Amino acid sequence: MPTYPPEPFRIKVTESIRLIPPAEREKALKEAGYNLFSMKAEDIFIDLLTDSGTGAMSQEQWAAIMRGDESYAGARSFYRLKAAVEDIFGFKYFVPAHQGRAAENILAACLVKPGQYVPSNMHFDTTDANIRARGGRPTNLVIDEAFDPANPHPFKGNIDIAKLKAFIEKVGAANIPFGMVTVTNNAGGGQPVSMENLKAIADVYHSYKIPFFIDAARYAENSFFIKEREPGYAHKSVKEIAREMFSLADGMTMSAKKDAIVNIGGLLCTNDEKLFENVKNELILREGFPTYGGLAGRDLDAMAVGLYEGLDEAYLAYRLGQTAYLAARINEAGIPTIQPAGGHAVYLDAAAVLPHIPQSEFPGQALCVELYREGAIRGVEIGSVMFAHMDADTGQMVYPKLELLRLAIPRRTYTQSHMDYVADTLRRIKERAASIRGYKFTYAPELLRHFTAKFQPL
Ligand SMILES: *Cc1c(COP(=O)(O)O)cnc(C)c1O
């Protein structure tokens, strides 16, 4: 039986959750058109839809909220956040933003011109969309191992350095306003990027005079993976590793809803004074004055505290241990998951659980619905519902390589018995898998259809 370090906290405030009876679940599923995005949260028992903004804040964060300074300009809260950001990330300039995508929007507005390319390991979907919204072309250059779910490579988020060089040579450095890397690689299973790879990425970008930005949403989890897995880092603190990582880059964007353990917030940092001037002007237009960036003063204070709590090594050992534990328990039930377990989520191979359901009948969605039906648990399909599309040239359907169900784990929110409940529910589903059927659309919009589509069982 796998184990992990006990929670380095005890529980002072609780929030009730209720397991509604099977008949009510069936009714809720029907009313939602078998799309879990359309469900009421109160009908969910264990909600693993996302780890974004869903974590539990600490007593220190709630105390900091009471100290929030709501002055429009130059608030004390801003200066407390500034001190934390400078201490942890070490960039010369920064602005707060209301979430990660707001920071991405401003960066893309300032730097991306139509037709230009922005390489990365894999862009997260909001980053991808913000680059495209400015006419840019996001490009993913992750190593091939990332596409093999069984491959246990310790740093499956790495960029393929040979591909990166060849890509820059092909499109020309002048057509690349900045380069990125996402740590950990959310779109690729929450997989980390090694320090060795980060150094090589920085060297390549800088040899072509391309500014290097890190998408830092899960930088603390990435730093802990480096400490655990990369030779030479076991004796360094996670904070030292983070500092080293950011010293390689020219700036970063961050969704603070991840490793800063707040319910709302984001950051944009840069060392470039000219860019910073433009960023501030964009921010004032879209988000707010540069010392609050679309957030309340109290949100800035919660972030300032949460940034440090996210780096706490006892917390990170428990956090990554909990994810690995859930993956191991699910594997014990005979269900394969992307290996190794990522930082924030477990990705189940739905095609392996439901091999009799073809991709055109959505095995990931079928497993997602079954998880709710059996245990009122909410996950998210990452497969054909999200990604299958008609090829404009051939008129043929193009299906994604993998049919996955993602279970994202909110921070400091669920206990080991919740994880056992999830694994036991999946075990029961696996036992009756042969009788589970696929789905068809009754409604599907053109873009981002997974959010609002409706289904009917076959
Ligand atoms: C969540 C996320 C974002 C976007 O952040 P929001 O706060 O949801 O706008 C960007 N990049 C990565 C890697 C993320 O996980």
Side-chain angles (χ1 to χ4, degrees), residues 99-101 104 124 126 182 186 215 217-218 255 257-258:
Q99 339 196 163
R101 71 195 67 183
E104 293 160 2
F124 181 64
T126 59
T182 311
N186 184 0
D215 177 342
R218 295 179 186 78
S255 168
K257 300 170 74 168
K258 320 292 169 46

Side-chain angles (χ1 to χ4, degrees), residues 80-103:
R80 287 190 281 265
L81 176 62
K82 184 170 189 280
V85 168
E86 285 173 357
D87 178 38
I88 294 168
F89 302 108
F91 294 108
K92 284 193 195 135
Y93 311 105
F94 95 101
V95 291
H98 83 271
Q99 339 196 163
R101 71 195 67 183

Side-chain angles (χ1 to χ4, degrees), residues 23-56:
E24 281 183 43
R25 280 178 238 160
E26 208 53 55
K27 191 163 160 271
L29 272 176
K30 220 174 192 161
E31 280 173 11
Y34 299 90
N35 184 341
L36 279 90
F37 279 104
S38 301
M39 289 241 159
K40 289 187 185 141
E42 65 173 338
D43 292 338
I44 313 282
F45 187 48
I46 310 279
D47 201 345
L48 306 181
L49 184 70
T50 175
D51 66 321
S52 181
T54 52

